Amino acid sequence: MRDLRRDGIPHGNLPLELDAFVGRAPELAELARALDTGRLVTVTGTGGVGKSRLAARVAARRSPRHGVWRVELAPVRDEEFVDYAVVEALGLVDHTTRLPRETLLAHLAERELLLVLDGVEHVVEACASLTAELLGRAPGLRVLAVGRRPLDVPGERVVPLAPLRPEEAVELLAVRAGQRLAGAGYGDDALGEDREEVRELCLRLDGIPLAIELAAGRLGALSPRQMLQRLDDRFRILTGGDRTALPRHRTLRTAIGWSHELCTPAERLLWARLSVFTGSFDLEAAEYVCSGDGLPADEVLDVLSALLAQSVLTREETAAGVRYRMLDTVRAYGGDWLEATGDASRVRRRHRDWYVGLATWCELEWFSPRQREVAARVDAELPNLRGALEHSLTEPDEAHLGQYLAGALWFHWVGCGRLSEGRRWLEQAVRLDAEGTAGEQSRLKALWVLGYVAVLQGDTAHALAALQECRREAERSANPTAVAYAEHRTGCLALVTDDMPRAETLLRSALHRYREIGELNSNVLMGQVELAMARAFQGDLPDAVRLCEDVRRVCEDHGERWARGYALYVLAYAAWYDGEPVRARELLADCLRGAHRFRDQLGSVLAVELLALVTVAEGDAAEAAVLQGGAARMWPSVGLPLFGSAHYNAPHELCEAAAREQLGDERYEECVRHGAGLGRREVVTRALRRPGPPVPLPAPRGAGTGAGARTAKPAASPTRKGGETAG
C-alpha cells in the first residue's frame, strides 16, 4: 500500500501501482480538473473499463493535508456495512454505542482529505446517503467515487469513462504482453505480420482494459490470429441470449467468457468454486474449499497457478502471508457458472466449515506466542468470516454454527478494535434458537461475549440482561464454563460501575471456578488483572502488584501479549506511585506498543494518560499537557465516562494540577489544544519518545510514596478495555 508520510506519520492507504499506466492523458486531466473544482466527483463506466485505475492514478497526485484514503467496497454485500467499511479503511474503531457514521463525522469534521469510494454500484443508496452527510458536515472533505452509476447526490460531478482509444488499446496489449513474455515484441515497432491482427483483436474487444489484460495473458499460447478465430465463436455463443444488454456489457462478458472457455476443465471448475470467497484467500483455504468432485486437493495449487498466470487471479503480499484475489467481475462470472453446476450449496458449506475451523484455531492460538499472527490473520480473513457468519445465521439448521462463530471471535471483537461490529453479529446470533446440546452451548457463549462487549461499550442495562440470562440458563443446563464466564463478566460490570466489594467477590469466585474446571487463557488472566484493579481501588496496591506480577509471569510463559499489557499498566502505575518514573516509563512504553499493534484503544489511551503523568514528573510539563490533549481526543471513542469516576481520574487530575502549576493556565491550555489536534498515531509516537533526564518535582496533593499517598487511585480498570487504535 502507498504509505504517504509526513514526519513519519502515515497519511493514506492508496495501493502502489505495480504495472505501467498506459494512455488516458485527456481523462486524467479532466478528472483532475473536476476534483479541483468540485467536492464530489464520480467516475462512471462499464465494468472492466479502468475506472479504479484512473481514479487511483489521479488520487495519487493529490496531497491534502490529511492524506488520500481508499475504501474498497466490492467485498461489502450488505449496505448496512458501508459505514463500517469506511471506518475500517480510515483506521478508526469506536467502542462506544455511537453509530459508525457518527464516528466518521467526528473524525472528518476538522480534517482535509480525499476519500476514494471504489465500487459503489451495488451499495449506491448507502454510499449516496453517507457521502451527502459527510460532505455537508466536513468542509475539508472531498470524495472521489468509482462505480457503474452516479450517486445522484447534489453537487456531484460525473466523469464518464469510455473504452481505450485504438492506439492506447494496442499499446496496453503490447506492454502487458511484454511483461509476461520478455522479448515478445508486440509494440508497434515489432508487430511484423501480426500488426493488423493485434489491432483487430483490440477493436473486437472494444478497447476494454480488462478484456485486453485477459487477451495479453493468452499471447504465450496463442497468436493474435488464433485468438481472433476463437473470439468469433465465443461472441456468437455469449451474446445471443440477451440482445437488449448494452454492447459494452456484452463485450465484457464475451471477453471473460472467452477466457473462461480457453481454460481447461479443471481451471474452469476451480474458477467457479473460488467465487465463494469474498475478498482475498490463501492457498490452504482454496485447497480445502475447492477440492473434491473432479479436483483433488493436491492439484489445486497447479490449477490455481494457471489461473494466476492468466490474470484470472491476482497475488498479493499481506501481513498474513501470500494471498490471492479475484476481480469482482471475474468472480461474479464464476459464481454464475457455480450455480449452473448445481454444486453451489456444497461449496458454500465447505467455505463455512473452513472459516468455523479457522476461528476455532485462532481462538486457541490467541493464548500463545502467535497472538499477533492471529490478529493479522483474522484481519485478512474478515470478509470471508463475515460471509460464513451470514450464511450460518440465515440457514435454519445452522444457527448453532453462527452462534459458535460469533462467540469464538470474541478476541477479535474485544482485542482488535471491532466491538461495534461484533455486537451486531452477537445480537443477531442470540436471537436465534438452536437445538441440541451444541446449540445450547453455542448460544450461552454468544450471550456472555455479548455481555462483555456491552460492558466495554458502557451499555450497563444490556450487559446485565445478557449476563443474567447466560448465568440463569447455564445453571439450568449445568454448564460450569458458562457460569464462570457469566460471573466473571458480571464482576467486570461491577468494577466499571464503582461497586468494588461486589466486583472483588464476583471476580474471586469466577477465578476459583476457572481453576476448578482447568480453564486458562487470556480471559482468565484478564480476570486476575481486573481483580488487581479492584484491590487497588480499595487501597491495597501491594496486593494488586502481586496479582499482576503473577499474570505477567504466566503471560511470558505462554507468549501472551494482550492481557500482559494491562498487567504492565497496573505495574507502571505502582512504579510511578513508588517514585520510580524511569521504570514506569519502560513498562508503559511496552504496554503502549502492544496496545497500538492490537488496535486496542483503551489500552493505548490509558498508557498515554499515565505517560503524561510520568512526563510531568520528569520535568517536561509542556509535553505532558500535549499528551493530555492527545488523550482527550482519543477518549470519546472508548465509550465510558471515565473522567466522572474518582477511581479512574486520579492520574489525569494529578498531571493537570502539576502542569498548570508549572506552565500557568494559558500556556497549559495552549499545549492541550495542540495535543488535541494530533492524530492518534502522532500521539502514540510522541508518547514513546525517549525523555530527557528526570527532574525531581514536588508531589501533587494526594500523591506520594508514604501512607497518605495510598489514597490515590489507579487510573482505570483494565476491564474497560477497548479495541481501537491510532488506525
Side-chain angles (χ1 to χ4, degrees):
M1 303 294 285
R2 185 179 301 275
D3 190 12
L4 306 176
R5 291 178 177 263
R6 296 186 181 92
D7 300 327
I9 306 302
H11 279 71
N13 67 343
L14 280 179
L16 295 170
E17 287 188 340
L18 301 180
D19 293 323
F21 190 93
V22 176
R24 299 292 200 190
E27 292 88 343
L28 289 167
E30 179 185 3
L31 183 54
R33 286 193 298 269
L35 275 174
D36 287 337
T37 56
R39 295 182 60 214
L40 170 60
V41 180
T42 302
V43 182
T44 63
T46 188
V49 80
K51 302 182 295 296
S52 297
R53 190 71 186 272
L54 182 80
R57 181 75 166 184
V58 172
R61 298 178 178 180
R62 316 297 289 188
S63 55
R65 180 183 174 194
H66 295 104
V68 180
W69 298 87
R70 175 177 177 268
V71 185
E72 184 182 356
L73 294 170
V76 179
R77 296 180 178 179
D78 188 339
E79 295 214 10
E80 183 180 346
F81 280 107
V82 167
D83 291 12
Y84 287 104
V86 179
V87 166
E88 184 172 342
L90 289 172
L92 307 175
V93 183
D94 194 326
H95 290 176
T96 72
T97 55
R98 294 186 304 180
L99 295 174
R101 185 164 304 188
E102 295 171 345
T103 301
L104 289 171
L105 289 168
H107 177 74
L108 296 173
E110 301 174 9
R111 282 175 165 75
E112 298 175 9
L113 57 79
L114 174 61
L115 188 64
V116 182
L117 301 178
D118 195 357
V120 302
E121 58 270 359
H122 64 300
V123 286
V124 68
E125 296 297 331
C127 288
S129 169
L130 174 64
T131 301
E133 189 167 359
L134 292 182
L135 290 173
R137 295 173 60 182
L141 175 68
R142 290 177 187 268
V143 176
L144 176 56
V146 180
R148 301 183 190 183
R149 54 179 290 190
L151 296 179
D152 291 329
V153 171
E156 180 182 29
R157 300 192 59 172
V158 179
V159 177
L161 186 61
L164 293 168
R165 286 170 284 277
E167 65 274 14
E168 292 176 332
V170 172
E171 182 183 2
L172 177 62
L173 185 62
V175 170
R176 295 295 183 259
Q179 291 171 343
R180 292 169 173 79
L181 305 168
Y186 285 102
D188 274 349
D189 295 336
L191 287 176
E193 62 182 20
D194 289 334
R195 179 181 293 123
E196 292 305 318
E197 285 80 4
V198 168
R199 292 185 183 277
E200 177 65 16
L201 179 61
C202 291
L203 288 173
R204 298 291 298 277
L205 296 176
D206 267 7
I208 296 179
L210 175 58
I212 292 168
E213 296 271 3
L214 292 170
R218 280 294 176 183
L219 284 175
L222 300 171
S223 70
R225 185 187 301 274
Q226 289 173 311
M227 283 194 287
L228 277 171
Q229 292 170 349
R230 290 172 177 259
L231 190 61
D232 283 340
D233 293 337
R234 300 311 182 265
F235 272 167
R236 288 193 296 270
I237 294 171
L238 296 175
T239 63
D242 184 6
R243 296 188 181 278
T244 65
L246 292 174
R248 291 177 187 169
H249 290 181
R250 298 202 306 268
T251 302
L252 178 61
R253 181 165 179 81
T254 297
I256 299 175
W258 155 74
S259 181
H260 182 269
E261 289 300 311
L262 289 177
C263 289
T264 66
E267 291 164 4
R268 293 197 295 269
L269 189 59
L270 182 58
W271 182 344
R273 292 176 180 175
L274 288 173
S275 68
V276 299
F277 289 100
T278 303
S280 64
F281 56 89
D282 61 18
L283 176 61
E284 290 77 14
E287 287 176 328
Y288 178 84
V289 174
C290 300
S291 61
D293 294 341
L295 186 60
D298 58 4
E299 294 181 12
V300 169
L301 174 58
D302 290 339
V303 180
L304 186 146
S305 299
L307 293 177
L308 187 65
Q310 297 170 54
S311 300
V312 174
L313 297 175
T314 59
R315 178 183 185 273
E316 51 189 44
E317 298 280 351
T318 72
V322 175
R323 299 181 66 79
Y324 304 94
R325 186 183 296 272
M326 188 178 284
L327 293 175
D328 188 47
T329 305
V330 175
R331 182 172 62 248
Y333 188 90
D336 291 342
W337 277 89
L338 182 61
E339 292 291 343
T341 66
D343 199 27
S345 295
R346 184 190 69 85
V347 178
R348 290 195 182 100
R349 285 195 300 271
R350 289 181 69 83
H351 177 274
R352 176 212 60 207
D353 291 344
W354 174 263
Y355 286 101
V356 168
L358 177 67
T360 301
W361 177 84
C362 286
E363 183 183 19
L364 292 172
E365 291 300 301
W366 181 253
F367 186 55
S368 80
R370 289 171 290 280
Q371 205 168 45
R372 291 175 184 166
E373 176 189 334
V374 167
R377 181 71 180 273
V378 177
D379 273 339
E381 297 287 10
L382 192 55
N384 285 302
L385 288 164
R386 288 170 178 155
L389 279 163
E390 183 178 352
H391 178 85
S392 299
L393 294 174
T394 55
E395 291 291 327
D397 297 332
E398 299 182 4
H400 68 287
L401 292 174
Q403 292 167 342
Y404 173 83
L405 185 53
L409 289 171
W410 69 266
F411 64 91
H412 189 65
W413 312 137
V414 169
C416 301
R418 290 191 171 85
L419 285 177
S420 181
E421 179 178 351
R423 182 163 178 177
R424 178 189 181 278
W425 290 116
L426 289 160
E427 287 180 336
Q428 185 177 348
V430 300
R431 285 196 295 266
L432 301 176
D433 291 325
E435 298 180 356
T437 303
E440 187 175 71
Q441 292 176 345
S442 296
R443 187 172 182 276
L444 287 174
K445 183 167 186 175
L447 275 170
W448 74 252
V449 176
L450 174 59
Y452 186 16
V453 167
V455 168
L456 298 178
Q457 289 185 312
D459 192 346
T460 301
H462 285 89
L464 187 59
L467 293 170
Q468 286 179 338
E469 182 180 357
C470 181
R471 176 73 178 259
R472 184 171 58 252
E473 293 300 315
E475 289 177 341
R476 182 189 59 78
S477 60
N479 187 321
T481 301
V483 170
Y485 278 99
E487 187 170 55
H488 174 184
R489 295 308 165 194
T490 306
C492 296
L493 184 60
L495 186 64
V496 301
T497 53
D498 287 346
D499 188 348
M500 296 305 142
R502 176 170 169 76
E504 180 177 351
T505 298
L506 290 169
L507 290 168
R508 286 193 185 279
S509 176
L511 290 170
H512 176 71
R513 292 179 188 274
Y514 287 144
R515 286 192 292 272
E516 283 189 330
I517 61 178
E519 191 87 347
L520 179 60
N521 54 35
S522 299
N523 269 307
V524 174
L525 295 176
M526 282 297 294
Q528 187 163 326
V529 174
E530 290 151 6
L531 176 60
M533 294 306 298
R535 295 299 302 142
F537 289 162
Q538 296 177 89
D540 193 346
L541 197 58
D543 192 40
V545 169
R546 178 188 62 78
L547 288 165
C548 287
E549 286 288 7
D550 184 59
V551 169
R552 185 182 186 181
R553 285 191 294 271
V554 175
C555 287
E556 289 173 354
D557 286 344
H558 291 269
E560 210 281 352
R561 306 290 297 180
W562 174 65
R564 174 180 176 272
Y566 284 92
L568 294 181
Y569 170 80
V570 177
L571 295 173
Y573 183 82
W576 171 84
Y577 195 81
D578 289 336
E580 301 179 45
V582 174
R583 173 171 162 74
R585 177 173 287 278
E586 290 174 352
L587 291 165
L588 286 169
D590 194 350
C591 169
L592 180 56
R593 279 191 291 267
H596 188 61
R597 290 191 188 102
F598 283 125
R599 298 168 55 90
D600 184 343
Q601 176 68 346
L602 182 59
S604 296
V605 72
L606 288 177
V608 170
E609 285 279 18
L610 195 47
L611 276 166
L613 182 58
V614 171
T615 300
V616 79
E618 291 168 339
D620 194 343
E623 183 64 13
V626 170
L627 293 179
Q628 283 201 310
R633 182 72 177 264
M634 298 165 71
W635 271 119
S637 295
V638 174
L640 294 170
L642 299 185
F643 290 164
S645 166
H647 293 311
Y648 301 134
N649 202 29
H652 181 87
E653 289 185 345
L654 293 173
C655 180
E656 179 178 347
R660 282 187 184 275
E661 182 178 349
Q662 294 180 56
L663 299 173
D665 290 343
E666 184 176 350
R667 174 61 174 156
Y668 172 80
E669 296 294 346
E670 178 185 350
C671 291
V672 168
R673 284 194 298 272
H674 177 70
L678 300 176
R680 285 191 291 273
R681 285 183 181 270
E682 294 171 296
V683 173
V684 170
T685 298
R686 289 187 74 132
L688 291 174
R689 287 178 181 171
R690 298 181 66 84
V695 177
L697 294 173
R701 187 169 61 254
T705 58
R710 295 296 179 191
T711 60
K713 301 287 189 4
S717 164
T719 58
R720 307 199 53 175
K721 199 228 122 271
E724 184 177 352
T725 67

